[in-house]
Amino acid sequence: MHYPIDFKDRFEDTLLFWMERFIRHKLNSLSNRQVKDKDRLAYVIKKLTLGTDSIEELADLVKEARNAGLIGINTYFKPLEKLYRYLIMMGPASMKEIDEEMIVDFLTSETGGLSDATKKNHRIAMINFFAYIDKQNLDDSGNAHVYRIELKNWGGLKGKSGQKLPEYLTEDEISKFLEAIETYPFRSDVAARNRLIIKIILYTGIRVGEAIGLRIKDIIPEKDIYLIKILGKGNKHRVVMIKSKHIKSDLQEWLSLRNCENELLFCNKKGTTLTQAYISRIVEKILMSAGIRKEKNGAHMLRHSFATLLYRKSKDLVLVQEALGHASLDTSRIYTHFDRDKLYKAASIMDDIE
């Protein structure tokens, strides 16, 4: 269904309307493979169809969708949330006053200090949002207002976007972190569960989303190891291993307590899937208890820590790719930046000249 570009009387209401429509569109187009709570997602879509009263209410619905399993929705919404507040501050009277120059001004002022990868996400969100409006707006005469936002010459991001070096734990920090896992005062009914899921992520490098989606049948004992079957991005299957000595006691304790739906290995007190946000909060609390401070303290850092250590000890980029389930070797190449031996050779190249 098409709508006039200035669908509401007030600019802020119209802008919110188009953001609601776009977010609803993205909810229906993003991969729903990780969605565990279909009713929760259906509720969000229904609310978006009816409309929201504020950007805060829209943010709450996006959070609901993310907790239901549509993790990627934040990539689009967070930049749009910033754009909403920026445009309200600038005070245009009509959606037609927005142009590429205004969007470039917004990106320049709002993304300073961010990594190129995050800037790229902001750029993608802007292009997708206005491309959506281009296709969906139509006035009574059958004419559409077309933005054609391309951002090809945005100075904040030229050429291919770079990647910020990921945060990771050093070997000493990993040792401290593991000690802190054992001593952290979890509630008795969730202690084994929390230790188990965090150790699995740290010792195997699997994604947080992959860990919370594990089922009982996916973890298979074999001699002194457990084989763990992973369903990764793009519905690609792989197998990782973890030595049983690292998790056996926690696994046995949790299996004696768990009461989960759909054969889930991990669940909350309601029997449903844990959220990624919950796991990241646990990791952050353990890091704080161990006196470890990082720029990013979420659970995804454990995956970076595993990958960094794996490459340092093996110098095998293909092994890193296979272990982490990367579709491309280029994605794994980020961890070569931590190869101290190669960097030392580079630092020593002028020694003979001296």
Side-chain angles (χ1 to χ4, degrees), residues 11-12 15 83-95 97-98 102:
F11 169 77
E12 52 263 46
L15 180 59
L83 177 67
Y84 178 88
R85 302 186 191 285
Y86 177 84
L87 290 177
I88 296 304
M89 178 186 69
M90 296 301 294
S94 165
M95 291 290 292
E97 293 181 30
I98 302 172
M102 186 178 290

Side-chain angles (χ1 to χ4, degrees), residues 41-286:
L41 183 58
Y43 165 79
V44 171
I45 293 174
K46 179 181 178 181
K47 291 288 288 184
L48 287 173
T49 304
L50 296 173
T52 63
D53 294 325
S54 66
I55 191 68
E56 290 79 16
E57 185 181 351
L58 180 56
D60 288 339
L61 289 176
V62 169
K63 184 178 180 180
E64 286 286 313
R66 190 175 186 274
N67 288 339
L70 282 179
I71 308 303
I73 193 62
N74 260 356
T75 301
Y76 298 95
F77 177 69
K78 287 300 183 182
L80 290 180
E81 186 178 22
K82 294 179 184 177
L83 177 67
Y84 178 88
R85 302 186 191 285
Y86 177 84
L87 290 177
I88 296 304
M89 178 186 69
M90 296 301 294
S94 165
M95 291 290 292
K96 294 179 181 178
E97 293 181 30
I98 302 172
D99 58 14
E100 182 148 337
E101 183 178 1
M102 186 178 290
I103 301 304
V104 168
D105 289 343
F106 158 71
L107 291 171
T108 301
S109 64
E110 295 294 324
T111 64
L114 300 179
S115 69
D116 274 359
T118 304
K119 289 180 180 179
K120 178 183 176 183
N121 287 341
H122 280 65
R123 179 178 181 270
I124 289 172
M126 296 301 109
I127 292 172
N128 275 256
F129 175 56
F130 287 102
Y132 173 81
I133 300 178
D134 285 350
K135 295 177 181 178
Q136 297 298 320
N137 83 90
L138 209 63
D139 64 20
D140 293 338
S141 302
N143 299 316
H145 181 84
V146 180
Y147 289 102
R148 291 194 182 92
I149 301 294
E150 296 180 340
L151 300 173
K152 289 183 178 179
N153 298 315
W154 174 37
L157 185 64
K158 296 180 179 178
K160 290 187 177 180
S161 67
Q163 280 185 297
K164 185 178 180 180
L165 295 181
E167 289 284 346
Y168 67 97
L169 298 175
T170 65
E171 290 188 54
D172 287 342
E173 288 170 336
I174 290 174
S175 180
K176 291 179 181 178
F177 182 73
L178 288 170
E179 290 178 8
I181 291 176
E182 301 299 335
T183 59
Y184 191 84
F186 294 116
R187 290 198 333 259
S188 59
D189 59 325
V190 298
R193 180 200 68 187
N194 290 352
R195 290 195 300 264
L196 178 61
I197 192 169
I198 293 171
K199 287 178 183 178
I200 288 177
I201 295 169
L202 179 60
Y203 280 110
T204 66
I206 66 174
R207 299 177 179 91
V208 182
E210 294 169 345
I212 63 179
L214 287 174
R215 299 181 184 274
I216 290 288
K217 64 182 181 181
D218 294 330
I219 186 162
I220 304 164
E222 186 175 296
K223 295 182 179 179
D224 63 339
I225 62 167
Y226 288 104
L227 295 175
I228 303 178
K229 295 189 294 184
I230 305 296
L231 179 61
K233 287 186 176 180
N235 289 324
K236 293 181 179 179
H237 294 267
R238 72 183 191 280
V239 174
V240 298
M241 294 182 183
I242 184 170
K243 290 189 175 180
S244 57
K245 65 180 182 179
H246 298 313
I247 63 169
K248 187 174 182 178
S249 62
D250 290 319
L251 177 60
Q252 290 176 341
E253 182 180 345
W254 171 238
L255 290 179
S256 70
L257 296 171
R258 66 173 286 281
N259 183 22
C260 304
E261 298 177 355
N262 302 320
E263 290 300 308
L264 286 171
L265 176 58
F266 301 109
C267 62
N268 56 30
K269 61 183 179 181
K270 296 180 181 179
T272 57
T273 310
L274 295 170
T275 66
Q276 295 198 29
Y278 175 77
I279 303 302
S280 285
R281 285 198 301 271
I282 293 173
V283 170
E284 186 170 4
K285 289 177 180 178
I286 297 172

